[in-house]
């Protein structure tokens, strides 16, 4: 496998729909890392993932996967991608033996022995109909299929939604184990931001069809902060440091993407706390212009 920095690259990609658009997207997914993809319902996550899979094509801009374009390399690209769904996509009457027989021949690198190994590891029944599987078992089934054809890039759409906390933790541990040898890349869409804080290397945040940031979780943790203090501290210069602010007659609470500047200007006069991804998403509604 040739080492490239960005396994997925969007260059000025736009896609227009009747009442929504993805505009001028510059997205990169780093090879060998886990990138979390966050945004509210309707922000454009599903459409972006369809563009990555070539289920939608851009109206403008360029998309490269593994350094290649779909126009000339679609079969090769899709051989190397595994998609983990958040719902059942199989005929409900089939069992895993049936699924193996149907899906295996479609992939050049398919391994029956590897599939059987993952079925055992994930404690999945080979002979029970898919309709008897829980959501967690369906998630493991999609993951076993992706890993059994040596998928290098695994896309996951809301994989932990609706799972109980114990199974969520188990799934996150499985994903961490998958990343140890550095051969795989994961793009992980979710509303459960605490899961990403546990395992992600990078975060992409989309809001109303625009990428607000696409950077390492370490940078985000260093730059973003919640700031609380007395309302009389606020002036025009201070206000410029904040992406969003809530203010009463006596106090304010704000979020900044320049924590160092706030510390320099206000120091011990305010309380500065680390902002979670959930904080960032909540406080930045309607604040797109301040991300540039």
């Amino acid at each position: 496998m040739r080492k490239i920095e960005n396994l997925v690259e969007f260059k000025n990609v736009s896609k227009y729909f009747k009442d929504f658009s993805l505009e001028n997207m510059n997205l990169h997914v780093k090879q060998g890392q886990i990138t979390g993809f966050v945004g509210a319902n309707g922000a454009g996550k599903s459409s972006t993932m369809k563009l990555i899979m070539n289920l939608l094509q851009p109206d403008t801009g360029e998309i490269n996967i593994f350094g290649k374009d779909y126009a000339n390399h679609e079969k090769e690209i899709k051989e190397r991608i595994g998609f983990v769904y958040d719902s059942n996509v199989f005929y409900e009457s089939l069992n895993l033996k049936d699924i193996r027989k149907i899906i295996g021949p479609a992939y050049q690198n398919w391994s029956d022995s590897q599939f059987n190994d993952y079925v055992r590891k994930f404690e999945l029944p080979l002979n029970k109909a898919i309709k008897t599987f829980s959501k967690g078992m369906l998630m493991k089934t999609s993951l076993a299929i992706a890993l059994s054809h040596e998928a290098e890039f695994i896309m996951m759409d809301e994989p932990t939604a609706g799972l109980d906390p114990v199974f969520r933790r188990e799934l996150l541990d499985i994903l961490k184990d998958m990343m140890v040898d550095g051969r795989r890349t994961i793009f992980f869409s979710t509303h459960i931001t605490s899961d990403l804080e546990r395992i992600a290397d990078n975060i992409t945040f989309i809001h109303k069809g625009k990428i607000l940031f696409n950077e390492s979780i370490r940078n985000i943790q260093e730059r973003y902060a919640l700031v609380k203090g007395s309302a009389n501290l606020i002036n025009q210069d201070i206000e410029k440091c904040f992406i969003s602010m809530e203010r009463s007659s006596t106090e304010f609470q704000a979020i900044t993407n320049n924590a160092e500047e706030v510390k320099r200007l206000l120091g011990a006069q305010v309380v500065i706390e680390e902002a979670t991804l959930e904080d960032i998403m909540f406080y930045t509604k309607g604040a797109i212009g301040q991300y540039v």
Side-chain angles (χ1 to χ4, degrees), residues 11-65:
K11 298 177 183 176
N12 302 314
V13 168
S14 294
K15 180 68 181 178
Y16 303 104
F17 303 95
K18 184 178 179 181
D19 54 0
F20 176 75
S21 61
L22 299 170
E23 296 182 34
N24 200 35
M25 295 177 71
N26 290 291
L27 166 68
H28 55 264
V29 178
K30 291 189 176 296
Q31 189 172 31
Q33 297 186 4
I34 298 177
T35 295
F37 192 33
V38 298
N41 285 335
K45 296 195 301 298
S46 294
S47 296
T48 301
M49 295 180 91
K50 286 176 180 176
L51 286 166
I52 294 173
M53 292 286 289
N54 203 35
L55 299 175
L56 291 173
Q57 289 75 45
D59 293 318
T60 60
E62 181 183 336
I63 296 174
N64 287 305
I65 316 290

Side-chain angles (χ1 to χ4, degrees), residues 170-182:
E170 181 186 350
L171 180 62
L172 296 178
D173 287 342
I174 288 169
L175 298 182
K176 283 195 286 189
D177 289 344
M178 282 168 41
M179 299 299 292
V180 169
D181 60 12

Side-chain angles (χ1 to χ4, degrees), residues 205-208 210-213 224 239-246 254-257 279-292:
F205 180 22
I206 187 170
H207 184 63
K208 295 184 178 178
K210 297 179 184 289
I211 300 290
L212 298 195
F213 58 72
Y224 286 82
E239 204 163 342
K240 288 177 185 176
C241 295
F242 300 137
I243 295 168
S244 179
M245 179 172 60
E246 293 179 343
I255 193 165
T256 180
N257 61 355
D279 291 330
I280 294 168
M281 290 175 66
F282 176 78
Y283 279 102
T284 52
K285 291 177 181 177
I288 290 176
Q290 298 188 47
Y291 275 86
V292 294

Side-chain angles (χ1 to χ4, degrees), residues 59-266:
D59 293 318
T60 60
E62 181 183 336
I63 296 174
N64 287 305
I65 316 290
F66 304 106
K68 303 174 186 291
D69 62 58
Y70 272 112
N72 299 297
H73 304 279
E74 181 163 10
K75 182 169 173 52
E76 177 190 344
I77 291 170
K78 288 192 172 177
E79 279 276 343
R80 299 166 72 180
I81 295 177
F83 197 96
V84 177
Y85 297 89
D86 67 339
S87 58
N88 181 33
V89 295
F90 309 106
Y91 289 112
E92 291 192 335
S93 60
L94 297 180
N95 60 35
L96 289 184
K97 283 185 176 178
D98 300 325
I99 289 170
R100 181 184 63 195
K101 289 175 185 175
I102 294 167
I103 292 178
Y107 290 101
Q108 189 175 333
N109 293 326
W110 180 267
S111 167
D112 277 346
S113 63
Q114 204 162 41
F115 180 75
N116 290 331
D117 285 346
Y118 281 112
V119 166
R120 282 193 294 271
K121 182 177 180 180
F122 296 163
E123 298 179 337
L124 296 169
L126 271 173
N127 297 305
K128 283 190 175 181
I130 286 290
K131 64 185 175 186
T132 68
F133 282 23
S134 67
K135 180 165 185 175
M137 292 165 73
L138 289 169
M139 191 68 62
K140 285 182 174 180
T141 298
S142 288
L143 200 51
I145 290 168
L147 296 174
S148 297
H149 68 85
E150 295 292 340
E152 299 162 42
F153 178 42
I154 296 175
M155 295 178 62
M156 311 184 78
D157 187 11
E158 299 287 345
T160 55
L163 301 180
D164 67 72
V166 173
F167 193 92
R168 274 176 48 213
R169 180 69 67 90
E170 181 186 350
L171 180 62
L172 296 178
D173 287 342
I174 288 169
L175 298 182
K176 283 195 286 189
D177 289 344
M178 282 168 41
M179 299 299 292
V180 169
D181 60 12
R183 293 189 301 118
R184 295 190 177 93
T185 302
I186 294 176
F187 191 64
F188 185 132
S189 160
T190 185
H191 284 91
I192 306 174
T193 53
S194 57
D195 289 345
L196 297 180
E197 288 165 339
R198 188 182 299 278
I199 66 167
D201 302 293
N202 305 289
I203 301 293
T204 298
F205 180 22
I206 187 170
H207 184 63
K208 295 184 178 178
K210 297 179 184 289
I211 300 290
L212 298 195
F213 58 72
N214 185 196
E215 59 186 294
S216 76
I217 198 161
R218 180 177 294 178
N219 285 350
I220 292 164
Q221 289 168 339
E222 288 175 355
R223 291 203 298 118
Y224 286 82
L226 283 178
V227 184
K228 301 173 184 178
S230 173
N232 61 22
L233 294 170
I234 301 299
N235 58 41
Q236 206 168 22
D237 289 334
I238 297 297
E239 204 163 342
K240 288 177 185 176
C241 295
F242 300 137
I243 295 168
S244 179
M245 179 172 60
E246 293 179 343
R247 185 174 179 177
S248 71
S249 58
T250 57
E251 297 178 327
F252 78 90
Q253 180 166 298
I255 193 165
T256 180
N257 61 355
N258 192 349
E260 285 301 314
E261 182 67 3
V262 172
K263 287 176 187 174
R264 187 183 71 79
L265 291 171
L266 295 176

